[in-house]
Amino acid sequence: MVKYRESPYIIARERGFGVSDQAVLADRADGDRLTLSASGDWTAGHARSLEGAIESQAGGHADARRVVIDMANIGAFDTYGSWLLERLVRTYKARGCETEVTGLPA
């Protein structure tokens, strides 16, 4: 499992600002552009909530043509989380969407 120390999410959690480690996938649509913002820990320990978030996002936003998945605010990321991210990317690409993942360190 990877923890991203420079993440604003991690910094806030370490400083006691009451940030939850619960995995979240928020959406914002602007015309045909969809931005999905991930936060929390994308790990097997949060499988149930992550599965629900992925299913909810994959089934919506039929008018999206460009999708940006922003992972800058995740706290931890394991193999399970990366598999779900890949699944989300493939879902939108299969719909013909230009899909980009941002915020992950190289």
Side-chain angles (χ1 to χ4, degrees), residues 34-97:
L34 173 64
T35 302
L36 301 174
S37 300
S39 62
D41 292 344
W42 277 51
T43 60
H46 296 285
R48 185 170 294 174
S49 63
L50 278 169
E51 285 282 345
I54 297 295
E55 289 300 319
S56 174
Q57 292 300 339
H61 303 288
D63 55 341
R65 295 292 166 252
R66 180 156 194 271
V67 178
V68 176
I69 305 168
D70 180 7
M71 302 294 286
N73 289 316
I74 60 170
F77 193 55
D78 67 7
T79 304
Y80 185 80
S82 64
W83 178 79
L84 286 176
L85 175 59
E86 177 64 18
R87 190 171 114 198
L88 188 60
V89 168
R90 287 180 186 217
T91 297
Y92 281 107
K93 282 188 175 185
R95 285 195 205 169
C97 297

